[in-house]
Amino acid sequence: MRRVIAIGATFMVVGLIAAIVDRPDPAFPGDSLWILQAPDTLTLYTVDFGGDGPDWPHTGELAGYKTYAQAEITDRNTQRQILVAIRHEIIPHPDRASGCFNPRIGLRARRGGEEATLLICFSCQYIEIKSGGLSKTSVIKGDSQELFDSTL
């Protein structure tokens, strides 16, 4: 009887953990969190928001913004660090409106034919996450700028 109770309790704990891990996060629209958890490709960009940025040649485009530089992040540990940093950055319930939103950092993640795009403005401390035609803007803490700068 104790064995049956122990097995039942184990299944309950495993089920509870799975429910917590798989719970949707309202800060991540569409499949963006799923994509970021194990991307096939992850690219980090320096974004030209159209302001007074440097006069460097543009290398591409991300979500309507021209880009200066990009780096493919292939190391799984670095990818994990970036996801942890992004999740740590987001403040769940913002109580202020966006300021300038002049993103300098961008990310494009792809997984299984799906794509997520993130634009980060450390000046006004906002992030915009896009995936599957959905978009969500959130307040961020601004703690991870050094990680993104050093990765580029």
Side-chain angles (χ1 to χ4, degrees), residues 74-135:
T74 57
D75 179 69
R76 289 289 181 197
N77 287 330
T78 305
Q79 289 178 351
R80 250 184 252 110
Q81 282 181 326
I82 288 172
L83 175 60
V84 167
I86 291 168
R87 290 195 82 176
H88 171 75
E89 281 285 343
I90 294 174
I91 299 171
H93 302 287
D95 58 355
R96 64 180 172 90
S98 174
C100 60
F101 198 68
N102 296 322
R104 295 282 186 160
I105 298 292
L107 283 162
R108 178 180 287 143
R110 292 187 171 119
R111 179 178 180 188
E114 300 292 325
E115 181 175 296
T117 303
L118 293 80
L119 296 166
I120 305 169
C121 178
F122 286 105
S123 296
C124 68
Q125 296 182 313
Y126 262 75
I127 184 170
E128 180 179 30
I129 304 173
K130 300 178 180 186
S131 179
L134 301 172
S135 180

Side-chain angles (χ1 to χ4, degrees), residues 44 71 73 78 81-82 146-152:
L44 181 62
I73 311 301
T78 305
Q81 282 181 326
I82 288 172
E146 187 176 306
L147 169 66
F148 292 107
D149 290 345
S150 67
T151 305
L152 277 169

Side-chain angles (χ1 to χ4, degrees), residues 4-79:
V4 171
I5 292 172
I7 290 171
T10 301
F11 280 117
M12 286 176 54
V13 169
V14 169
L16 180 61
I17 291 170
I20 291 169
V21 170
D22 292 336
R23 182 178 45 208
D25 186 330
F28 292 84
D31 289 333
S32 59
L33 184 56
W34 174 80
I35 295 165
L36 288 163
Q37 287 174 331
D40 298 328
T41 63
L42 181 64
T43 310
L44 181 62
Y45 296 88
T46 301
V47 176
D48 177 1
F49 62 86
D52 59 352
D55 190 23
W56 298 336
H58 294 117
T59 59
E61 178 272 333
L62 179 70
Y65 293 91
K66 293 180 180 175
T67 59
Y68 293 122
Q70 65 187 54
E72 293 292 326
I73 311 301
T74 57
D75 179 69
R76 289 289 181 197
N77 287 330
T78 305
Q79 289 178 351

